[in-house]
């Protein structure tokens, strides 16, 4: 798992005043909304006896009180009250928990999980649809018993579409993937891929006029560390999914999807849009959960690659560079199967 990035850790709508536990990179965090509306993220581990702050309560204006012995922490992680201490006794300097920079963007709460100073942090991706009034968003999440990199690569893998999604948007009669070019930057890569659409049915067929197009252009890509984009250019509009693959542990991933569309933009169509996302994901789930080895190999030659796997190959190469720079985290408890051990570190010290 890659540290030093901004990670979307929760939907904004799920974060209220009440402390909430979220997990990312195998670590637990407590997140809550402060009186002024701003969101704070702390390590969920009280330094006293390891109580879970997410089970605690809010105290004073913006403090969080541990449920075990009531130590109170400020949003910057400093402990300011130890109820068991008689009056006048000081608070140890070490009584603090890690605090993480947090911002809200695109309907999500993002936390910076790393130890780089602000000016050296990789940028957050830009989702232009979010502020475009022509688009409407839906939010959907699930947990999958698979490693986040397997889950992530699956979304940029166009060649599985006719097989895994043959009954939804893939066309089993046209499995060829024409060669495509990958445009790559430091933190992202994308490609326009031509897919052959199946005959339209249901609601979607109502939108079609004229002959069925031979190809649909799908702009597919990844943004480090864990986001994949799927932009389907349908004849009647655009469907853009940003898919966040949050590593809960090495073998479990929370998938949070934000789906934008500029057709059927009424609220009434949200249910249908969510159902489609869920249906397609459920077609992927059994395949991705059964991939072996569970973790993405570190050795590029451990699996075979075709031209149509170019986006995944680009990802694996870039990931290797970051691993070489020490950006990889994963401890003993996180290791699964007989995968080469990488350095074990905590995200922030
Ligand atoms: Fe948190 Fe004791 S464990 S106050
Ligand atoms: Co799929």
């Amino acid at each position: 798992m890659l540290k030093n990035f901004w990670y979307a850790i929760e939907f904004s709508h799920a974060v209220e005043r009440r402390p909430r536990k979220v997990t990312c990179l195998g670590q637990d965090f407590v997140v809550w909304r402060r009186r002024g509306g701003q969101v704070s993220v702390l390590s969920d581990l009280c330094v006293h006896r390891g109580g879970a702050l997410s089970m605690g309560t809010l105290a004073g204006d913006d403090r969080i009180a541990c449920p075990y012995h009531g130590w109170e922490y400020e949003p910057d992680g400093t402990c300011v009250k130890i109820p068991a201490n008689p009056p006048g006794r000081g608070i140890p300097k070490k009584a603090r928990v890690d605090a993480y920079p947090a911002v809200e963007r695109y309907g999500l709460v993002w936390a910076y999980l790393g130890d780089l100073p602000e000016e050296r942090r990789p940028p957050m991706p830009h989702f232009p649809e979010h502020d475009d009034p022509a688009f409407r968003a839906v939010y959907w999440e699930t947990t999958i018993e698979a490693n986040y990199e397997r889950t992530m690569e699956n979304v940029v893998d166009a060649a599985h579409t006719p097989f895994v999604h043959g009954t939804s948007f893939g066309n089993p009669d046209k499995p060829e993937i024409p060669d495509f070019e990958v445009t790559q930057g430091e933190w992202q890569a994308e490609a326009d891929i031509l897919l052959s659409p199946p005959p339209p049915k249901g609601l979607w067929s109502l939108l079609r006029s004229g002959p069925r197009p031979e190809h649909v252009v799908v702009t597919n890509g990844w943004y480090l560390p864990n986001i994949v984009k799927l932009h389907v250019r349908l004849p009647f509009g655009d469907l853009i999914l940003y898919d966040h693959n949050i590593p809960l542990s090495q073998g479990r991933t929370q998938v949070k999807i934000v789906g934008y569309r500029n057709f059927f933009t009424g609220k009434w169509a949200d249910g249908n849009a969510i159902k489609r996302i869920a249906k397609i994901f459920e077609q992927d789930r059994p395949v991705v959960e059964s991939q072996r080895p569970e973790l993405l190999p570190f050795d590029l030659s451990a699996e075979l690659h075709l031209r149509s796997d170019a986006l995944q190959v680009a990802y694996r190469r870039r990931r290797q560079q970051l691993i070489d720079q020490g950006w990889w985290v994963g401890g003993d408890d996180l290791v699964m199967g007989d995968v080469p051990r990488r350095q074990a570190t905590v995200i922030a010290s």
Side-chain angles (χ1 to χ4, degrees):
M1 312 178 194
L2 291 166
K3 66 170 183 175
N4 291 339
F5 284 94
W6 286 94
Y7 276 86
I9 52 170
E10 186 51 283
F11 288 131
S12 276
H13 63 247
V15 179
E16 297 168 346
R17 289 282 286 154
R18 185 147 42 97
R20 179 181 181 84
K21 175 173 137 171
V22 299
T23 305
C24 188
L25 305 188
Q27 285 193 25
D28 293 336
F29 303 91
V30 56
V31 49
W32 80 99
R33 197 172 287 282
R34 290 161 63 176
R35 216 182 275 289
Q38 156 200 12
V39 165
S40 288
V41 178
L42 294 179
S43 161
D44 197 28
L45 199 66
C46 177
V47 283
H48 178 222
R49 287 294 179 270
L53 298 179
S54 55
M55 289 168 60
T57 48
L58 294 178
D61 259 357
D62 272 327
R63 287 183 218 146
I64 191 160
C66 179
Y68 202 0
H69 314 91
W71 290 25
E72 291 181 16
Y73 295 91
E74 291 284 1
D76 71 355
T78 317
C79 177
V80 290
K81 186 172 171 186
I82 298 183
N85 272 355
R89 191 162 302 169
I91 292 177
K93 269 220 181 65
K94 280 190 172 164
R96 54 175 310 124
V97 295
D98 288 331
Y100 298 85
V103 297
E104 286 184 271
R105 208 168 282 176
Y106 314 124
L108 294 149
V109 172
W110 301 68
Y112 180 73
L113 305 182
D115 40 30
L116 295 182
E118 215 168 324
E119 64 281 3
R120 287 182 49 215
R121 293 173 192 164
M124 242 178 255
H126 179 52
F127 303 157
E129 299 78 15
H130 193 80
D131 298 312
D132 183 341
F135 284 91
R136 182 169 174 90
V138 290
Y139 301 86
W140 182 77
E141 67 185 333
T142 190
T143 300
I144 176 168
E145 301 300 321
N147 175 258
Y148 83 101
E149 292 183 296
R150 289 289 196 194
T151 314
M152 191 176 154
E153 278 202 351
N154 171 62
V155 182
V156 293
D157 179 305
H160 81 280
T161 307
F163 298 93
V164 177
H165 307 295
T167 57
S168 50
F169 69 105
N171 185 353
D173 299 330
K174 289 265 172 62
E176 311 86 27
I177 306 292
D179 284 350
F180 55 83
E181 214 170 296
V182 174
T183 313
Q184 191 174 350
E186 210 177 354
W187 309 113
Q188 85 277 339
E190 65 174 43
D192 287 339
I193 303 175
L194 296 179
L195 286 184
S196 173
K201 19 170 225 233
L203 253 190
W204 298 67
S205 62
L206 293 177
L207 283 164
R208 252 181 22 81
S209 57
R212 175 178 159 216
E214 197 177 327
H215 285 116
V216 166
V217 178
V218 175
T219 306
N220 222 329
W222 48 258
Y223 297 88
L224 291 179
N226 66 336
I227 303 161
V228 273
K229 176 173 92 170
L230 185 69
H231 179 168
V232 189
R233 294 163 202 274
L234 295 160
F236 46 83
D238 297 283
L239 177 70
I240 299 138
L241 304 182
Y242 292 101
D243 184 328
H244 300 257
N245 299 276
I246 302 168
L248 299 177
S249 65
Q250 300 270 39
R252 292 192 91 197
T253 302
Q254 179 156 77
V255 177
K256 289 188 192 291
I257 296 177
V258 186
Y260 296 98
R261 65 184 193 277
N262 60 2
F263 54 92
F264 283 158
T265 50
K267 189 174 193 277
W268 60 272
D270 285 356
N272 197 271
I274 291 171
K275 239 193 262 165
R276 262 188 83 78
I277 293 173
K279 177 182 170 188
I280 288 166
F281 191 91
E282 293 310 327
Q283 292 177 329
D284 286 311
R285 183 192 297 277
V287 178
V288 176
E289 286 184 345
S290 58
Q291 277 179 281
R292 295 293 179 272
E294 289 96 327
L295 305 194
L296 211 66
F298 289 106
D299 175 2
L300 201 61
S301 62
E303 294 181 331
L304 294 178
H305 312 287
L306 302 177
R307 284 279 268 287
S308 49
D309 300 320
L311 277 168
Q312 296 95 303
V313 172
Y315 169 72
R316 293 185 188 196
R317 289 217 164 99
R318 182 67 183 116
R319 162 215 207 221
Q320 188 57 51
Q321 291 173 344
L322 294 170
I323 289 173
D324 294 342
Q325 290 170 34
W327 286 30
W328 194 254
V329 284
D332 276 350
D333 50 331
L334 298 174
V335 173
M336 186 173 73
D338 69 15
V339 170
R341 279 275 302 284
R342 299 280 149 170
Q343 63 185 126
T345 25
V346 290
I347 301 163
S349 42

